[in-house]
Amino acid sequence: MTISALGVAPSPPETAFPVRFQYDLSYASADHGIKRLVKEHSLNNLTAQYISILWDEGSHKTNVRSFLGEICEILGGERFSVFTQEMLDSVIGTLRERGNSNATINRKMAALSKLLRKACKMGDIYNLPEFRRQKERQGRIRFLEAEEEQRLFSAIRMRCEDSYRLSVFLVDTGCRLGEAIGLNWNDLQDSRSTFWLTKSGRSRTVPLTTRVKEVVQIPHGRLKGPFAMHTQVRFRAIWNEAKSEVGLGADDQVVPHILRHTCASRLVRGGIDIRRVQIWLGHQTLSMTMRYAHLATNDLDSCVAVLERH
């Protein structure tokens, strides 16, 4: 709210000139009703102030920091007390010009929206634009066939036994790379693995296959967990070298996350119902898991017999 006041004080009889007062103050009101002077902030300022409050430590927080840093760069470090709709439209337009898909734009806007809502609630800014979710196309989900897995894993194993163990764990549990690296020894109990540091913030427990039980059987030493010797950067570097060696270097979908897709596809094609696949993967909504539903082709075979009777 901007308050402007113009007043003329009455002049004493012996003087003939007016005394003029002019005020131009801007205030923001927080939820608790206390009004305070609004200052202008850059997106980097707000990120530094609130990122540790809004996001837990981990790879997701790292991604968020990168997203918000890119948006601040697009804005040219502009300081603001109101994040306008024009500013938002400019950011989205620039991201699209840079080749970002709608799905990627949605992830970046989710981070921006969360940060701005917090800043508005705290009285740092006093207006929010309207965030509209971009329509995402359902692209083809790439997963590894058994022969591709064998070739890729062999090349990884030639470079690093620990990376091979991690690859096996990822494809047979369907967990995310950060979830596996963050495992502690106590998370492996009774032939099951519990993932506490998840993207959704909700823990989940899955049973282990025979070969996963084997790859986690290593001396504990001073390691916090079975894959604590790894970092995501190191694993991805080994992965990229191996995939190039086996002729998959040009396929930009063959990234470590493909092992999660591979696990899901094998469960669905093996006849596991979509609800249990959702629980296994830890998806928050069933719609996320439905991306794999088209792979359950055998579930439709019984429909043919019904149709042929008519």
Side-chain angles (χ1 to χ4, degrees), residues 249-294:
D251 193 333
D252 60 4
Q253 293 190 64
V254 181
V255 295
H257 198 73
I258 198 176
L259 299 180
R260 181 167 165 86
H261 291 320
T262 301
C263 178
S265 69
R266 289 174 181 175
L267 290 173
V268 172
R269 289 192 294 178
I272 303 300
D273 66 85
I274 208 71
R275 173 62 179 168
R276 280 193 290 170
V277 176
Q278 177 194 2
I279 296 172
W280 184 284
L281 296 176
H283 285 158
Q284 288 183 285
T285 63
L286 188 59
S287 62
M288 298 175 69
T289 320
M290 288 300 294
R291 296 178 298 170
Y292 305 102
H294 68 283

Side-chain angles (χ1 to χ4, degrees), residues 193-209:
S193 177
T194 298
F195 302 103
W196 299 97
L197 303 175
T198 66
K199 184 177 179 181
S200 67
R202 300 176 181 176
S203 64
R204 70 182 185 281
T205 300
V206 300
L208 304 179
T209 64

Side-chain angles (χ1 to χ4, degrees), residues 96-116:
R96 186 163 285 123
E97 289 173 0
R98 292 181 176 183
N100 285 224
S101 67
N102 282 356
T104 300
I105 291 174
N106 283 335
R107 288 197 295 273
K108 294 178 179 180
M109 290 305 100
L112 177 62
S113 175
K114 187 172 182 177
L115 178 65
L116 293 182

Side-chain angles (χ1 to χ4, degrees), residues 4-257:
S4 295
L6 182 63
V8 179
S11 302
E14 64 275 11
T15 62
F17 60 90
V19 180
R20 300 169 66 87
F21 301 94
Q22 185 167 339
Y23 306 92
D24 190 5
L25 301 175
S26 295
Y27 290 91
S29 178
D31 286 349
H32 45 63
I34 299 175
K35 295 180 179 179
R36 63 191 180 106
L37 187 65
V38 170
K39 298 180 180 179
E40 292 186 336
H41 302 269
S42 70
L43 199 62
N44 279 343
N45 295 151
L46 297 176
T47 300
Q49 187 169 354
Y50 295 120
I51 190 169
S52 293
I53 297 173
L54 297 173
W55 288 278
D56 293 331
E57 293 297 331
S59 59
H60 182 55
K61 181 178 177 180
T62 301
N63 291 337
V64 165
R65 191 186 300 278
S66 175
F67 294 162
L68 296 174
E70 181 183 9
I71 295 170
C72 188
E73 175 263 316
I74 291 173
L75 295 172
E78 178 181 348
R79 301 177 69 85
F80 55 87
S81 58
V82 175
F83 199 97
T84 66
Q85 196 69 44
E86 289 76 14
M87 292 168 66
L88 179 62
D89 292 344
S90 175
V91 169
I92 293 175
T94 301
L95 290 174
R96 186 163 285 123
E97 289 173 0
R98 292 181 176 183
N100 285 224
S101 67
N102 282 356
T104 300
I105 291 174
N106 283 335
R107 288 197 295 273
K108 294 178 179 180
M109 290 305 100
L112 177 62
S113 175
K114 187 172 182 177
L115 178 65
L116 293 182
R117 289 199 311 271
K118 177 65 173 179
C120 187
K121 184 174 183 179
M122 300 305 294
D124 295 309
I125 61 175
Y126 59 96
N127 188 59
L128 292 175
E130 179 184 3
F131 285 85
R132 292 185 178 179
R133 185 172 179 82
Q134 307 296 309
K135 186 175 182 180
E136 298 182 17
R137 294 181 179 180
Q138 181 60 64
R140 177 179 297 176
I141 296 177
R142 176 77 160 89
F143 51 86
L144 296 178
E145 297 292 352
E147 182 271 336
E148 289 179 312
E149 177 192 311
Q150 191 277 326
R151 286 190 294 119
L152 180 59
F153 282 17
S154 293
I156 291 174
R157 193 170 197 175
M158 290 291 292
R159 286 166 170 77
C160 176
E161 182 70 21
D162 289 329
S163 295
Y164 165 74
R165 294 190 305 103
L166 178 53
S167 299
V168 170
F169 188 89
L170 291 172
V171 78
D172 277 11
T173 64
C175 73
R176 300 176 180 88
L177 180 55
E179 293 173 346
I181 292 176
L183 278 175
N184 292 325
W185 291 114
N186 286 339
D187 300 333
L188 300 168
Q189 301 284 344
D190 302 323
S191 299
R192 283 172 165 74
S193 177
T194 298
F195 302 103
W196 299 97
L197 303 175
T198 66
K199 184 177 179 181
S200 67
R202 300 176 181 176
S203 64
R204 70 182 185 281
T205 300
V206 300
L208 304 179
T209 64
T210 299
R211 67 172 180 168
V212 167
K213 293 176 189 177
E214 293 174 355
V215 299
V216 297
Q217 293 299 319
I218 64 170
H220 291 197
R222 295 188 177 183
L223 293 172
K224 293 178 60 178
F227 308 110
M229 75 292 293
H230 260 302
T231 64
Q232 292 200 34
V233 172
R234 177 170 176 253
F235 179 74
R236 291 180 191 279
I238 294 170
W239 174 279
N240 289 333
E241 289 178 4
K243 85 167 191 175
S244 295
E245 179 186 315
V246 299
L248 295 172
D251 193 333
D252 60 4
Q253 293 190 64
V254 181
V255 295
H257 198 73

